[in-house]
Amino acid sequence: MSRQTSRLDAKKVNSELLTLTYGALVSQMLKEIDNTDDVNKQLERIGYNMGVRLIEDFLARTGSNRCLEMRETADKIQQAFRLYLNMQPTVTSWSSAGDEFSLVWDQCPLSEWVEMPNNGLKYCGLIPGAIRGALQMVQLDVQCWFIQDQLKGDAVTELRVKYIKRLEDAVPAGED
Amino acid sequence: MTIYNMYIFDRYGTLLYYGEWNRTKQSGMSREEEGKLMFGMLFSIKSFVTKISPLDPKEGFISYKTSKYTIHHLETPSGLKFALNTDNQAQGMRELLKKIYSDIYVKYVIRNPLCGIGEPIISELFKTKLDLFIKQAPLSAARAS
């Protein structure tokens, strides 16, 4: 069985393939949808749907348990970035209440070789969507948005994650 | 050892999958009703166990045993519940459940875009792989014990 897991881990693809595929997706969406805001919304939605599935893969691979506080969650998100995008964002700028933090990175495989038209597009909009979707499946309601973006001329890309509430266990069906 | 049957629930209590291998006595109600009953019981035991535990429960509810069968329970952080019904001699079922989750469920349901999330699993591939996995399981467990 251990051989099987190592084969699973070894299934790596060149990140250029991902970069270009994602680029093709975004440019196609820009062609088909006139309004950039709608493109942003769609990217977020695609990300959300990916996150909902990705979390199961993440849990199965890492055997993680439930997080008891946001710092643990931040570590896990960092781990997921390493696992799926081979990048190591830094976790910084904790709010004093400990319910808000930033993920900062200066290189992301998704946005390599990208030059941005100045039209309000959030090119990496998939990532916050995926984080929100994945965390929702482990009963954490969060908000995710970019406050700095390299593609818009900032020095680094900064993604803010804010904890909103813990979603409660569902009651068994038939009790409503 | 014998594996009788297995239930997979999502966190809303939907019966995602029911698999049966060596069950000789049926409950006499519809599968849907039986699923609800099962989920309700797992849900209650889980909250009972957490509330009554004198120490901080780490793994929570793992299994219960009667004179005839043992139900092994695994809940993932994403709220999926796996309940496996075996005879009382079965060992190492928790590892088996974890493998079913990571090697079968994630591989053939989560990575299959045609399988909706939160919908009962109708994928034949999943069924075949699971049956195969269960058939191979007793041998490896017997060797280990």
Side-chain angles (χ1 to χ4, degrees), chain A:
Chain A
M1 275 302 164
S2 60
R3 202 181 334 133
Q4 215 171 11
T5 22
S6 64
R7 208 184 327 140
L8 196 80
D9 288 337
K11 224 186 241 170
K12 284 184 176 146
V13 294
N14 194 329
S15 74
E16 290 174 12
L17 178 65
L18 174 73
T19 312
L20 294 173
T21 316
Y22 185 67
L25 172 77
V26 177
S27 67
Q28 185 65 33
M29 284 170 75
L30 283 171
K31 256 179 229 154
E32 284 176 11
I33 308 170
D34 296 329
N35 191 341
T36 328
D37 280 346
D38 288 346
V39 177
N40 289 341
K41 261 182 221 147
Q42 286 299 326
L43 280 175
E44 216 267 346
R45 226 191 65 190
I46 295 172
Y48 175 84
N49 288 330
M50 282 171 70
V52 163
R53 285 178 188 259
L54 214 51
I55 184 72
E56 300 289 357
D57 187 74
F58 179 78
L59 293 172
R61 276 183 200 228
T62 58
S64 306
N65 289 320
R66 270 228 177 137
C67 295
L68 298 173
E69 54 156 21
M70 277 310 269
R71 279 172 204 276
E72 234 177 294
T73 313
D75 281 349
K76 297 265 167 39
I77 294 175
Q78 201 182 21
Q79 192 187 354
F81 267 98
R82 197 168 52 226
L83 193 61
Y84 293 112
L85 290 170
N86 194 25
M87 55 194 270
Q88 184 96 19
T90 23
V91 178
T92 52
S93 319
W94 281 93
S95 68
S96 53
D99 63 346
E100 221 181 305
F101 61 91
S102 288
L103 290 157
V104 178
W105 63 81
D106 57 5
Q107 221 176 11
C108 168
L110 285 187
S111 57
E112 230 177 322
W113 322 309
V114 173
E115 222 175 305
M116 277 270 280
N118 198 5
N119 60 359
L121 173 74
K122 290 179 187 123
Y123 188 81
C124 292
L126 193 86
I127 296 177
I131 293 179
R132 192 172 65 88
L135 289 186
Q136 198 164 86
M137 296 309 280
V138 288
Q139 277 150 321
L140 282 172
D141 201 5
V142 296
Q143 221 174 0
C144 252
W145 69 96
F146 284 110
I147 47 177
Q148 287 191 75
D149 196 338
Q150 272 179 314
L151 296 172
K152 291 182 179 151
D154 296 315
V156 287
T157 303
E158 180 172 356
L159 182 69
R160 196 87 179 137
V161 182
K162 182 180 169 41
Y163 165 88
I164 301 172
K165 65 169 189 285
R166 179 171 275 280
L167 302 162
E168 286 308 314
D169 256 358
V171 287
E175 270 192 19
D176 44 356

Side-chain angles (χ1 to χ4, degrees), chain B residues 1-2 4 64-72 85-91:
Chain B
M1 62 154 227
T2 323
Y4 298 125
Y64 82 79
K65 192 183 266 189
T66 73
S67 59
K68 293 278 181 222
Y69 66 94
T70 307
I71 299 252
H72 306 264
N85 193 355
T86 69
D87 66 10
N88 287 338
Q89 277 74 50
Q91 298 269 313

Side-chain angles (χ1 to χ4, degrees), chain B residues 3 37 57 64 67 82 88 99 113 116 119 123:
Chain B
I3 293 174
L37 204 60
Y64 82 79
S67 59
F82 292 77
N88 287 338
K99 278 211 180 94
E119 289 168 18
S123 158

Side-chain angles (χ1 to χ4, degrees), chain B residues 99-109 126 129 133:
Chain B
K99 278 211 180 94
I100 290 177
Y101 172 55
S102 61
D103 292 0
I104 315 275
Y105 182 80
V106 169
K107 228 170 169 176
Y108 299 106
V109 177
F126 173 78
K129 293 287 177 188
F133 184 81

